Amino acid sequence: MYHKVTPDPRSGGLGLRVPPEKFAAQMRYLREHGYTVVSLDDAVAFLKGVKSLPPKPVVITFDDGYRDNYLYALPILAEYGYPATIYLVAHAVGRYNFFDADRGVQPRNKMLTWEEIREMRAKGITFGAHTLDHPHLTHISLEEARRQIAGAKKFLEEKLGWPVVHFSYPYGDFNSQVAAIVAAAGYQTAVTSRQGVNYPGANLYTLKRIRVTGEYNLQRFAYELNRYLRER
């Protein structure tokens, strides 16, 4: 689980920001240590038990849809031929990260444009939804949660012209009612910020991820990749 990939410290702290040289080293580590980066769709087929995957499969995801994903992450991903999934805050596309910047918790960051999203899709990037406005979904009414979740799917599909079937919970905030709304809206999966590894038979609406921050050196990155494998 990534957010920003940029060298610019003005875009925010290392909790969400991974410098490009670290991201490149991490992608190289995956290649050199026997990991196979697979698409989210292939991972879902594996979790459903209908597709096999090579050993040590990894899915790369980005939350929010920052423009730096296009400027800095995409060239590195393309160098290795890696697919990835980016979860878009629908109303932030072509704008800025109002959901954090307007509250003063993050600097203002530019977000992906529609044109950049289309270009990235042609290069193997999948796009999911991260709601319309990035609220805490358990802090709002179920009616508003439904609008944020189903509305993002409808808005993105109308703008982009292709199905949007994957979802990420803003701030990792969800409960069973919110997960049920995601399923009812027609999404096939939802990812959380719960740390861990997913195995066949996993609940596709509460998928775990492994967070990567800009504070990690390569040794810590390797440790995080492996630490949850023992918890099965």
Side-chain angles (χ1 to χ4, degrees):
M1 174 175 64
Y2 292 93
H3 289 78
K4 306 170 188 175
V5 176
T6 173
D8 188 355
R10 295 171 300 177
S11 69
L14 294 175
L16 295 183
R17 179 177 66 87
V18 176
E21 66 272 15
K22 284 193 172 185
F23 183 71
Q26 291 161 4
M27 297 302 101
R28 184 169 60 252
Y29 180 93
L30 295 175
R31 173 65 53 84
E32 292 177 350
H33 289 81
Y35 291 89
T36 302
V37 177
V38 300
S39 71
L40 181 56
D41 289 331
D42 282 348
V44 170
F46 170 74
L47 294 174
K48 289 180 175 179
V50 299
K51 184 182 181 71
S52 61
L53 291 178
K56 300 167 75 170
V58 173
V59 174
I60 298 170
T61 66
F62 298 84
D63 281 3
D64 301 336
Y66 298 98
R67 187 163 186 258
D68 60 57
N69 295 178
Y70 172 82
L71 295 174
Y72 298 104
L74 181 64
I76 296 167
L77 293 168
E79 178 182 349
Y80 290 95
Y82 289 168
T85 296
I86 298 175
Y87 297 97
L88 301 168
V89 180
H91 284 164
V93 175
R95 299 174 62 199
Y96 71 100
N97 57 330
F98 59 82
F99 47 89
D100 280 343
D102 287 0
R103 297 187 299 119
V105 299
Q106 287 285 329
R108 184 179 284 224
N109 284 242
K110 289 184 178 180
M111 310 303 280
L112 290 168
T113 67
W114 298 112
E115 294 75 16
E116 289 162 349
I117 291 167
R118 292 185 179 93
E119 182 181 337
M120 293 177 83
R121 185 177 189 247
K123 296 181 178 180
I125 306 301
T126 297
F127 290 91
H130 203 33
T131 70
L132 289 170
D133 302 302
H134 205 283
H136 284 272
L137 288 169
T138 68
H139 296 186
I140 58 181
S141 69
L142 290 179
E143 180 181 359
E144 175 61 11
R146 194 170 291 109
R147 187 185 76 86
Q148 287 285 335
I149 292 165
K153 185 177 187 347
K154 182 174 185 290
F155 182 83
L156 290 171
E157 289 180 342
E158 288 178 351
K159 286 284 189 178
L160 295 170
W162 64 71
V164 175
V165 298
H166 303 297
F167 185 82
S168 174
Y169 300 104
Y171 308 108
D173 181 33
F174 75 100
N175 56 26
S176 59
Q177 290 176 304
V178 169
I181 291 172
V182 173
Y187 294 99
Q188 296 177 8
T189 72
V191 294
T192 71
S193 58
R194 290 179 175 175
Q195 300 288 296
V197 176
N198 304 291
Y199 294 95
N203 184 334
L204 297 180
Y205 296 98
T206 59
L207 293 175
K208 299 174 182 177
R209 291 187 289 177
I210 297 171
R211 181 168 186 164
V212 182
T213 80
E215 296 163 347
Y216 293 177
N217 60 21
L218 206 53
Q219 183 179 12
R220 176 67 183 275
F221 176 76
Y223 170 76
E224 293 295 328
L225 278 177
N226 288 286
R227 65 183 293 197
Y228 301 101
L229 294 175
R230 298 187 294 270
E231 296 180 359
R232 187 175 184 185

